[in-house]
Amino acid sequence: MSKFNSKSLFASCAVIAMSMTLPVAAHAQQKEAPQTMTTPAEAAPIIPRAHLFGNPTKAGGRISPDGQWLSWLAPDNDVLNVWIAPASDPSAAKVMTSATDRPISQYFWAPDSQSLLYVQDKGGDENYLLYGVDLATGAERTLTDFEKTRVQVIGTSETIRDKMLVGLNNRDARLHDVHLLDLNTGELTLVQQNDGYAGFLADDNLQLRMAIRPNAAGGMDFFPIVDGTIATEATDSTGLEDSLTTQPAGFTTDGKTMYWIDSRGRNTAALIAQDVATGEKTVIAENDKADIGGAMSDPKTGEVEAYSFTYLETEWTAIDPDIKASLDWLDTKLDGEFGVSSRTEDDQKWIVWNDPLTAPSKTFIYDRAAKTLTDFYVTRPELEGAPLQPMQGLELTSRDGLTLPSYLTLPPGSDTTGDGVPEKPVPMVLLVHGGPWARDNYGYNSYHQWLANRGYAVLSVNFRGSTGFGKEFISAGDLEWGKKMHDDLIDAVDWAVSKGVTTDDKVAIMGGSYGGYATLAGLTFTPNEFACGVDIVGPSNLETLLATIPPYWEPLIAQFHERMGNPNTPEGLAMLKERSPLYSAGNIIKPLLIGQGANDPRVNQAESDQIVAAMKEKGIPVTYVLYPDEGHGFAKPNNNIAFNAVTENFLATCLGGRSEPIGDTVDNSTAQIVEGAEHVKGLADALGG
């Protein structure tokens, strides 16, 4: 079966949020702007941006561990909040949280089913605090009530259901001390002060069993914890090459088995079970093309019952025969991708999501004993009947022989023969993922659908350094920012041109986080390659980027230095400057749009400010949009929609696709157009906005 799916600058920065740039005609060096051209997509209805990027009707469906309650995210006064309803009467819904500004995006049930827990930051600063809502009283409170603090969940328990372990960096912003949190009283008890560790692993008794500390080689050392005492000698370790593909993955409930995701001695990460008493390790699953991607574990015992790998698409294998029977049955009932997002403690009820790929996603309640699927909700019912397009997986080849797993979506009506290539070349957007230690995946993608609907082929490339394809593929990107990592993107564009997907003068580059860096690199290092670029929260100066990382990333700084360049050595600093688009800003001859959140802790506002200043100094026009209430990407739908409105109208001017008018979207957002306000107005006027 192939229907399951198990975010970031650096490993967790893959935020895609669109940005704004000026019309092509604003650049003296640019060719005359093409007029909006007729594309095959014009036969299909235009999908409103609000249908793709506005609030979902419902999302994030779960079932309480005791099976008594259903929960989900849905708007309350236009802001996503957590709702619940009795499982016996889903129509008796009520909102449980009181967010009025930023949407709640992450929530979960307390193990005892007596409260709901969620995390929330302020203005995108990523200082996430933990909040709880008591089901019986409806009382909502802050469980980690500290300033400039980011909470981590260290451990929850099957047997101790009213407590959990959390990490808090309120004492030292760089390090998370471990506390025991009483979910009923809110009491926090210090369990382990952190004196230099990147993380901890706990068992079902909420006892710490392992401490993880970075080493000078860019890897990790693993120290057993016995009766609260951390061993002085590491029992396991990794170097740089295994650092992103090897980590402990938890214990069985009885504490006798510890699971690892482990690439040591192999290229791709395998799923391994270790007998705690003897130390013996057994390989459960491995794949020669992809790392272990996900696992399903028994809610009671913690034993792995199924596992997945994702190369181009996701493949799941069940170990437990009962789980296999359930997954096989679901496979006969659901088209496209599906997965299990929530399970009751007795494992009789599952919440199952389904991505039909060319229709809006649906969520069901699955009764395993009765073999029934009950509709829970459609996430975006307004997309039913919309001309959503299929995504195709591709294996492209780099100039030095690496296979680049990639994804292509074509405009509606452009490929009537179904051979994966349009009858005539169409404009293309190269959409670059963040990270860079992250990856693109198969399935419904709102940006692919949006851009394809506007008449563009959309190509996403897992360039070297992307995760999921083994440690050799990651290591091939070491010290290659702006070099071979960028070459992979150029090679993908050359492939698209050679296949007749597009032409070499009708390609835009766009992305967020590392994808924003790739955009800046594209317009500075290869200034004639792209027709225009959209940079969202992208770093322009790798030296200042490394100097301003969040304090809680400092334990990982050795890895950043080894993979990007070490500013503490003359040769490392020289390389970082060479690879920084800021110092080549004078090369920019194509339109550039920059979007930035003022509170971004990963890519500080200064990263956008300084390249804008450099361009102004050289007389190069740029459009720069700043959001004072956003961070690393745009969480508020009005902000995201506004940015996308200007982006698509810019792309229409630059590449000749079609666009929905800008309208009042920018006025309805918090956007501050720092540079290029006249160009945004010009876009609206020129394209009927």
Side-chain angles (χ1 to χ4, degrees), residues 184-206:
N184 294 321
T185 67
E187 181 182 4
L188 284 164
T189 303
L190 180 65
V191 172
Q192 178 68 56
Q193 180 170 304
N194 186 345
D195 294 320
Y197 296 93
F200 298 90
L201 191 69
D203 62 18
D204 193 71
N205 292 319
L206 298 180

Side-chain angles (χ1 to χ4, degrees), residues 467-552:
T467 54
F469 308 101
K471 65 187 182 187
E472 293 174 5
F473 195 75
I474 295 173
S475 296
D478 290 354
L479 305 180
E480 295 294 345
W481 284 50
K483 290 295 185 180
K484 290 182 179 179
M485 291 164 75
H486 188 63
D487 290 345
D488 290 347
L489 300 176
I490 301 299
D491 293 345
V493 172
D494 291 345
W495 169 87
V497 172
S498 71
K499 290 294 184 181
V501 173
T502 190
T503 56
D504 59 10
D505 61 338
K506 293 289 182 66
V507 181
I509 183 170
M510 177 166 70
S513 196
Y514 178 86
Y517 166 83
T519 297
L520 297 176
L523 267 60
T524 54
F525 303 151
T526 52
N528 293 304
E529 186 72 29
F530 299 100
C532 56
V534 181
D535 153 35
I536 308 102
V537 297
S540 64
N541 183 339
L542 301 186
E543 180 189 1
T544 55
L545 173 71
L546 288 173
T548 56
I549 62 171
Y552 43 83

Side-chain angles (χ1 to χ4, degrees), residues 58-61 70-74 81-85 90 93 107 376-377:
K58 290 182 180 177
L70 299 172
S71 60
W72 62 91
L73 294 168
N81 275 276
V82 183
W83 295 67
I84 67 167
Y107 83 96
F376 191 174
Y377 57 81

Side-chain angles (χ1 to χ4, degrees), residues 135-204:
L135 248 63
T137 66
E140 188 174 2
R141 60 180 171 175
T142 308
L143 295 170
T144 57
D145 195 8
F146 305 100
E147 291 296 320
K148 296 182 179 179
T149 296
R150 178 184 173 96
V151 69
Q152 293 178 344
V153 175
I154 304 294
T156 60
S157 172
E158 168 65 24
T159 54
I160 306 173
R161 294 173 168 267
D162 60 347
K163 295 179 175 64
M164 64 188 294
L165 291 174
V166 297
L168 296 172
N169 62 339
N170 57 318
R171 178 186 62 86
D172 185 330
R174 300 168 300 170
L175 305 168
H176 284 76
D177 299 329
V178 182
H179 295 75
L180 182 69
L181 171 64
D182 188 309
L183 295 171
N184 294 321
T185 67
E187 181 182 4
L188 284 164
T189 303
L190 180 65
V191 172
Q192 178 68 56
Q193 180 170 304
N194 186 345
D195 294 320
Y197 296 93
F200 298 90
L201 191 69
D203 62 18
D204 193 71

Side-chain angles (χ1 to χ4, degrees), residues 48-108:
R49 286 182 300 267
H51 290 185
L52 293 162
F53 303 109
N55 280 321
T57 298
K58 290 182 180 177
R62 304 190 70 82
I63 190 166
S64 61
D66 63 9
Q68 298 302 303
W69 298 93
L70 299 172
S71 60
W72 62 91
L73 294 168
D76 181 47
N77 293 320
D78 295 325
V79 179
L80 283 185
N81 275 276
V82 183
W83 295 67
I84 67 167
S88 59
D89 185 11
S91 64
K94 60 179 179 179
V95 65
M96 297 297 292
T97 56
S98 57
T100 58
D101 182 39
R102 295 183 69 75
I104 294 174
S105 60
Q106 301 178 57
Y107 83 96
F108 54 101

Side-chain angles (χ1 to χ4, degrees), residues 371-425:
K371 290 189 175 180
T372 58
L373 272 178
T374 303
D375 290 352
F376 191 174
Y377 57 81
V378 177
T379 300
R380 294 183 181 274
E382 59 271 27
L383 289 179
E384 291 180 331
L388 302 179
Q389 299 302 297
M391 174 186 282
Q392 54 180 303
L394 307 166
E395 288 184 316
L396 308 183
T397 304
S398 71
R399 66 190 68 180
D400 58 353
L402 278 184
T403 299
L404 309 175
S406 304
Y407 301 99
L408 177 67
T409 304
L410 296 175
S414 64
D415 177 20
T416 57
T417 62
D419 64 355
V421 178
E423 272 68 67
K424 296 180 180 179

